Amino acid sequence: MVDPEAEQRSDSQLVLPAALQAEVVAHCLAAFPEEGCGLLGGDPTTGVVRRCYPTRNVAASSCLYTVDPREYLRADRDAEQRGLSIIGVFHSHTHTDPYPSPTDVAQAPDPSWHYVLVSLRDELASLRSYRIVEGVITEEPVEPGS
Amino acid sequence: MSVEVRLPTLLRPAAGGAPSTSVEGATVGEVLRALEVAHPGLAGQVLTADGELHKFVNVYLNDDDVRYLDRLDTKVGADDVVSILPAVAGGAA
């Protein structure tokens, strides 16, 4: 028997247009050597991202991030005015793989969100997206959309 | 007085599905306690058993994080909006 939730997770994807992927990576590079972070505004049902909200990392650390709470509030309001929702968060790992750390899993705020990781370890930044549901990490494809 | 409380997506199902609700209260603490009474499914989601703010949520009065105001003792007026959002954090550590 197919677990409908597992089925849904395996079907999930993030549609992140190339220009927004570039914006995400550029913000992470600008924040280096600290971790860069931000929020993604889009359609929760399709996983299509329409807007990137780079935010300050108030943890100001190379191994931790905390999205500035006031910038999150502003992003949430802006997204709502545009008919969007905050559907995910991105952050960089400056020296490790683009894979959620135990800290990322423990602090994942919302199981419906997309968790985008950008690794700056290698010369070329790499970007991946995951779902994190009850501590279980599932990678999902990142499509540039049309 | 009645104060509007805006809820994050994750907490909406426990409050009937609406993005915001109105409850009575003269301080942020009173508003949040009234919210839990009105929607018992929210109990423990915003306030700890000791009645403090959970570290994994941020509560705002209009544009300001109440941790930088008077926390739960922050006074609220009829035109104020209390917003609740998850704290978003993590990292490679």
Side-chain angles (χ1 to χ4, degrees), chain A residues 10 14-15 28 35 37 49 109 133:
Chain A
S10 65
L14 184 72
V15 181
C28 292
E35 290 194 0
C37 58
V49 180
V133 180

Side-chain angles (χ1 to χ4, degrees), chain A residues 14-143:
Chain A
L14 184 72
V15 181
L16 187 60
L20 295 180
Q21 287 196 34
E23 206 177 322
V24 165
V25 171
H27 179 65
C28 292
L29 286 169
F32 188 88
E34 295 174 1
E35 290 194 0
C37 58
L39 298 158
L40 302 170
D43 181 339
T45 56
T46 60
V48 176
V49 180
R50 299 285 184 202
R51 206 154 183 93
C52 163
Y53 298 98
T55 62
R56 207 160 58 95
N57 173 6
V58 293
S61 160
S62 63
C63 57
L64 290 171
Y65 80 94
T66 300
V67 167
D68 182 305
R70 289 188 65 177
E71 291 183 27
Y72 179 10
L73 183 68
R74 281 201 287 272
D76 190 67
R77 287 181 180 163
D78 182 84
E80 187 178 287
Q81 280 171 6
R82 295 171 190 275
L84 307 173
S85 300
I86 298 300
I87 63 167
V89 58
F90 68 88
H91 77 280
S92 57
H93 284 176
T94 57
H95 294 90
T96 55
D97 286 332
Y99 190 78
S101 69
T103 310
D104 292 330
V105 175
Q107 302 198 31
D110 190 326
S112 71
W113 275 16
H114 304 261
Y115 293 87
V116 170
L117 269 293
V118 176
S119 173
L120 302 180
R121 183 187 56 191
D122 303 322
E123 197 173 334
L124 275 181
S126 54
L127 182 150
R128 302 274 189 278
S129 185
Y130 304 87
R131 308 307 289 263
I132 302 175
V133 180
E134 293 177 358
V136 177
I137 302 166
T138 309
E139 185 169 0
E140 62 180 355
V142 179
E143 305 291 344

Side-chain angles (χ1 to χ4, degrees), chain B residues 58-79:
Chain B
N58 295 317
V59 175
Y60 310 83
L61 178 67
N62 303 320
D63 293 340
D64 295 311
D65 186 336
V66 301
R67 287 191 176 89
Y68 298 101
L69 300 172
D70 288 328
R71 301 181 66 95
L72 295 179
D73 294 331
T74 306
K75 291 194 167 30
V76 297
D79 294 330

Side-chain angles (χ1 to χ4, degrees), chain B:
Chain B
M1 81 203 71
S2 182
V3 177
E4 181 184 358
V5 182
R6 300 184 58 77
L7 299 165
T9 321
L10 191 60
L11 297 185
R12 290 176 192 170
S20 68
T21 184
S22 287
V23 291
E24 298 284 320
T27 64
V28 168
E30 286 181 17
V31 165
L32 296 178
R33 285 189 287 276
L35 183 70
E36 288 191 347
V37 171
H39 303 287
L42 292 175
Q45 303 286 321
V46 182
L47 297 173
T48 64
D50 297 334
E52 293 297 319
L53 264 186
H54 261 308
K55 66 177 182 183
F56 50 78
V57 294
N58 295 317
V59 175
Y60 310 83
L61 178 67
N62 303 320
D63 293 340
D64 295 311
D65 186 336
V66 301
R67 287 191 176 89
Y68 298 101
L69 300 172
D70 288 328
R71 301 181 66 95
L72 295 179
D73 294 331
T74 306
K75 291 194 167 30
V76 297
D79 294 330
D80 288 333
V81 177
V82 173
S83 303
I84 303 169
L85 287 174
V88 184

